[in-house]
Amino acid sequence: MTLDPGATGPSSQTDPGAGPLLASLACLLLVSVLLTWLGVVARSGASFSLLWPANAALVGILLRFYPRAGLLHLLIALLGFLLVDACYGTPWRKSLLLNGANILTVAIAWLSLRRQGLGPEGLISATAIPKLMLRCQPALLAGALCGGAAVVWLGGASGLKSTIMWYLAELINFSVLLPSLLTLPDSWRQCRQSLWRDRHYLGPALVLLLLVPLLHQYLSGPGLLVLPVPALIWLALSGNRFFTCLATSTASLYMFTVLDDQLLHQWSKDAATVYSFRAGITILALSAITTACAVAERDQLFARLQQVASHDYLTGVLNRGAFCEQAEQRMARHGGALLLIDVDHFKKINDEFGHPTGDTVLIRLCRRLETLLPPRALLGRMGGEEFAVWLPTGEPQALQAQAERLIQGVAEPHLMEGMRITVSGGLRRAQGAQTLSELLADADLALYRAKQEGRHRWCWAPLA
């Protein structure tokens, strides 16, 4: 999912890409204006804003939605900064100095991260978030140094305090906003599926998060910083990186804007308290998000192990053990039928064309069968060139039509150029208290009969 149409060169009225390019740039300008407006509102006459989401958010947006972004996109983002300041009557010198530091942060972070292949599947590792933050450090340090110098030049606080406060504020923004954008699902459908899959984690976490502002009314002191921890850890254990990032962003920005504002009066008296508070928010955010990434990595590893344990290494279909286990479960619940399929003259194919060609035949056969299978059917490799299909229906007429479709669908169109590959089958309908082993034996006898009758056909196994 991208907003960037691709080309960034000069356009003309006849250029078919000019319209999408202008639309994407207009979207970027609008986003830049909205994010800057939030920061300017939070500035409230101070030297710089308490909350400035624009830099981190723009880096994430450029990485996710503008894969061919360049200098033009950075200039559009800077234009959005300047337009908002102009509307609020910010002196031009202050606007240029502060926004120059902002766009410098965006440019360096974007350049550092754009070749990392970051996206919804790019942050599945226990070390992904720490590495992401390390790559952002040059941008954060450069922006803080320039921003601190700008504040001093404008007659604000001391250079050291301004630089540290700028750096910590940006560190929080990049810690919570950038991962949220980088783990954003590619589609609303994926988001809904993720929401439904992890609903047992999301519900309790949402309740715990809603308690934070309520408890804040009755509690004070450093303990406020850990109020969101149970909700964030519980959500992180689901391995859902996006919703963990989203919840962490909400909790962190709430503490940053509401609680941090109460500490700003200590700026000249006890700046170390403010530094400590902001560093604590950052550590809290990074811990929760890193935990979610580590759990996602674990779940992905388990899924791969499950795939290896239950699927045939060559064809990718279920192996014999997994097929039999799932077929027995379905037979016990709903009944059905078993169709054994064997490739005709497969030994001849291996002898004449070699085993690599034989492997290719088996792979293409499975892909073809998967396109022909009815809904809720199972396909497994029983060994060699023999495969089994569990058909969910037990009606004889429907089974006959499905078996015929599978047997004939393999032969045409040809699986391999210059070769006509056919299969034979034996069909056995589940009945009474039969076991799957009995069905396999009966279907194997029917398959043998189909081979004797000339191949490229299927036969019923007689009912017991």
mmCIF file of all heavy atoms in Angstrom, residues 20-38:
data_model
loop_
_atom_site.group_PDB
_atom_site.id
_atom_site.type_symbol
_atom_site.label_atom_id
_atom_site.label_comp_id
_atom_site.label_asym_id
_atom_site.label_seq_id
_atom_site.Cartn_x
_atom_site.Cartn_y
_atom_site.Cartn_z
ATOM 1 N N PRO A 20 -1.440 11.405 -10.292
ATOM 2 C CA PRO A 20 -1.175 10.693 -9.038
ATOM 3 C C PRO A 20 -0.042 11.292 -8.224
ATOM 4 O O PRO A 20 -0.091 11.298 -7.001
ATOM 5 C CB PRO A 20 -0.829 9.272 -9.521
ATOM 6 C CG PRO A 20 -1.495 9.147 -10.839
ATOM 7 C CD PRO A 20 -1.444 10.510 -11.453
ATOM 8 N N LEU A 21 0.994 11.811 -8.910
ATOM 9 C CA LEU A 21 2.115 12.416 -8.197
ATOM 10 C C LEU A 21 1.665 13.643 -7.424
ATOM 11 O O LEU A 21 1.981 13.813 -6.250
ATOM 12 C CB LEU A 21 3.224 12.779 -9.180
ATOM 13 C CG LEU A 21 4.401 13.574 -8.587
ATOM 14 C CD1 LEU A 21 5.087 12.768 -7.486
ATOM 15 C CD2 LEU A 21 5.387 13.971 -9.672
ATOM 16 N N LEU A 22 0.893 14.495 -8.090
ATOM 17 C CA LEU A 22 0.402 15.710 -7.418
ATOM 18 C C LEU A 22 -0.532 15.340 -6.269
ATOM 19 O O LEU A 22 -0.506 15.995 -5.218
ATOM 20 C CB LEU A 22 -0.308 16.605 -8.431
ATOM 21 C CG LEU A 22 0.578 17.248 -9.504
ATOM 22 C CD1 LEU A 22 -0.268 18.033 -10.504
ATOM 23 C CD2 LEU A 22 1.621 18.162 -8.869
ATOM 24 N N ALA A 23 -1.360 14.311 -6.469
ATOM 25 C CA ALA A 23 -2.279 13.894 -5.401
ATOM 26 C C ALA A 23 -1.502 13.384 -4.193
ATOM 27 O O ALA A 23 -1.847 13.686 -3.042
ATOM 28 C CB ALA A 23 -3.229 12.815 -5.923
ATOM 29 N N SER A 24 -0.439 12.596 -4.438
ATOM 30 C CA SER A 24 0.342 12.070 -3.325
ATOM 31 C C SER A 24 1.078 13.183 -2.596
ATOM 32 O O SER A 24 1.179 13.175 -1.362
ATOM 33 C CB SER A 24 1.337 11.019 -3.822
ATOM 34 O OG SER A 24 2.369 11.624 -4.586
ATOM 35 N N LEU A 25 1.583 14.165 -3.338
ATOM 36 C CA LEU A 25 2.257 15.298 -2.703
ATOM 37 C C LEU A 25 1.275 16.143 -1.910
ATOM 38 O O LEU A 25 1.611 16.654 -0.828
ATOM 39 C CB LEU A 25 2.960 16.150 -3.759
ATOM 40 C CG LEU A 25 4.156 15.498 -4.467
ATOM 41 C CD1 LEU A 25 4.699 16.412 -5.547
ATOM 42 C CD2 LEU A 25 5.249 15.126 -3.478
ATOM 43 N N ALA A 26 0.064 16.297 -2.429
ATOM 44 C CA ALA A 26 -0.963 17.050 -1.704
ATOM 45 C C ALA A 26 -1.330 16.343 -0.400
ATOM 46 O O ALA A 26 -1.521 16.988 0.647
ATOM 47 C CB ALA A 26 -2.207 17.230 -2.586
ATOM 48 N N CYS A 27 -1.413 15.000 -0.444
ATOM 49 C CA CYS A 27 -1.689 14.231 0.777
ATOM 50 C C CYS A 27 -0.571 14.424 1.795
ATOM 51 O O CYS A 27 -0.836 14.597 2.990
ATOM 52 C CB CYS A 27 -1.846 12.754 0.439
ATOM 53 S SG CYS A 27 -3.364 12.337 -0.441
ATOM 54 N N LEU A 28 0.664 14.397 1.303
ATOM 55 C CA LEU A 28 1.798 14.580 2.203
ATOM 56 C C LEU A 28 1.782 15.970 2.825
ATOM 57 O O LEU A 28 2.045 16.134 4.028
ATOM 58 C CB LEU A 28 3.104 14.357 1.441
ATOM 59 C CG LEU A 28 4.393 14.495 2.256
ATOM 60 C CD1 LEU A 28 4.440 13.466 3.382
ATOM 61 C CD2 LEU A 28 5.616 14.348 1.359
ATOM 62 N N LEU A 29 1.461 16.978 2.028
ATOM 63 C CA LEU A 29 1.382 18.345 2.547
ATOM 64 C C LEU A 29 0.288 18.458 3.603
ATOM 65 O O LEU A 29 0.476 19.093 4.657
ATOM 66 C CB LEU A 29 1.124 19.322 1.400
ATOM 67 C CG LEU A 29 0.982 20.795 1.786
ATOM 68 C CD1 LEU A 29 2.269 21.318 2.423
ATOM 69 C CD2 LEU A 29 0.613 21.637 0.574
ATOM 70 N N LEU A 30 -0.862 17.853 3.348
ATOM 71 C CA LEU A 30 -1.972 17.899 4.301
ATOM 72 C C LEU A 30 -1.591 17.222 5.615
ATOM 73 O O LEU A 30 -1.863 17.748 6.702
ATOM 74 C CB LEU A 30 -3.199 17.218 3.695
ATOM 75 C CG LEU A 30 -4.442 17.147 4.592
ATOM 76 C CD1 LEU A 30 -4.914 18.545 4.962
ATOM 77 C CD2 LEU A 30 -5.560 16.361 3.893
ATOM 78 N N VAL A 31 -0.949 16.058 5.526
ATOM 79 C CA VAL A 31 -0.511 15.354 6.735
ATOM 80 C C VAL A 31 0.502 16.191 7.507
ATOM 81 O O VAL A 31 0.443 16.308 8.739
ATOM 82 C CB VAL A 31 0.078 13.987 6.367
ATOM 83 C CG1 VAL A 31 0.757 13.346 7.575
ATOM 84 C CG2 VAL A 31 -1.006 13.069 5.831
ATOM 85 N N SER A 32 1.443 16.791 6.773
ATOM 86 C CA SER A 32 2.451 17.633 7.416
ATOM 87 C C SER A 32 1.802 18.821 8.131
ATOM 88 O O SER A 32 2.181 19.164 9.259
ATOM 89 C CB SER A 32 3.451 18.126 6.371
ATOM 90 O OG SER A 32 4.400 18.988 6.940
ATOM 91 N N VAL A 33 0.818 19.423 7.508
ATOM 92 C CA VAL A 33 0.114 20.558 8.118
ATOM 93 C C VAL A 33 -0.614 20.132 9.392
ATOM 94 O O VAL A 33 -0.546 20.803 10.433
ATOM 95 C CB VAL A 33 -0.867 21.179 7.106
ATOM 96 C CG1 VAL A 33 -1.826 22.145 7.801
ATOM 97 C CG2 VAL A 33 -0.104 21.912 6.006
ATOM 98 N N LEU A 34 -1.322 19.005 9.335
ATOM 99 C CA LEU A 34 -2.082 18.541 10.499
ATOM 100 C C LEU A 34 -1.160 18.194 11.672
ATOM 101 O O LEU A 34 -1.433 18.563 12.823
ATOM 102 C CB LEU A 34 -2.922 17.325 10.117
ATOM 103 C CG LEU A 34 -4.096 17.577 9.169
ATOM 104 C CD1 LEU A 34 -4.771 16.270 8.778
ATOM 105 C CD2 LEU A 34 -5.108 18.522 9.800
ATOM 106 N N LEU A 35 -0.062 17.504 11.369
ATOM 107 C CA LEU A 35 0.874 17.140 12.434
ATOM 108 C C LEU A 35 1.551 18.369 13.023
ATOM 109 O O LEU A 35 1.761 18.458 14.245
ATOM 110 C CB LEU A 35 1.932 16.178 11.885
ATOM 111 C CG LEU A 35 1.418 14.786 11.470
ATOM 112 C CD1 LEU A 35 2.508 14.019 10.734
ATOM 113 C CD2 LEU A 35 0.949 14.003 12.688
ATOM 114 N N THR A 36 1.885 19.320 12.171
ATOM 115 C CA THR A 36 2.507 20.553 12.660
ATOM 116 C C THR A 36 1.530 21.353 13.509
ATOM 117 O O THR A 36 1.908 21.948 14.532
ATOM 118 C CB THR A 36 2.996 21.399 11.475
ATOM 119 O OG1 THR A 36 3.829 20.600 10.637
ATOM 120 C CG2 THR A 36 3.774 22.602 11.955
ATOM 121 N N TRP A 37 0.286 21.368 13.093
ATOM 122 C CA TRP A 37 -0.737 22.098 13.852
ATOM 123 C C TRP A 37 -0.846 21.535 15.275
ATOM 124 O O TRP A 37 -0.955 22.291 16.245
ATOM 125 C CB TRP A 37 -2.083 21.990 13.140
ATOM 126 C CG TRP A 37 -3.213 22.576 13.916
ATOM 127 C CD1 TRP A 37 -3.516 23.898 14.084
ATOM 128 C CD2 TRP A 37 -4.183 21.837 14.668
ATOM 129 N NE1 TRP A 37 -4.621 24.032 14.897
ATOM 130 C CE2 TRP A 37 -5.049 22.786 15.270
ATOM 131 C CE3 TRP A 37 -4.406 20.490 14.886
ATOM 132 C CZ2 TRP A 37 -6.112 22.396 16.062
ATOM 133 C CZ3 TRP A 37 -5.465 20.106 15.680
ATOM 134 C CH2 TRP A 37 -6.307 21.059 16.259
ATOM 135 N N LEU A 38 -0.791 20.198 15.408
ATOM 136 C CA LEU A 38 -0.822 19.597 16.742
ATOM 137 C C LEU A 38 0.355 20.076 17.581
ATOM 138 O O LEU A 38 0.206 20.392 18.770
ATOM 139 C CB LEU A 38 -0.790 18.067 16.631
ATOM 140 C CG LEU A 38 -2.041 17.388 16.096
ATOM 141 C CD1 LEU A 38 -1.787 15.892 15.932
ATOM 142 C CD2 LEU A 38 -3.226 17.618 17.021
#
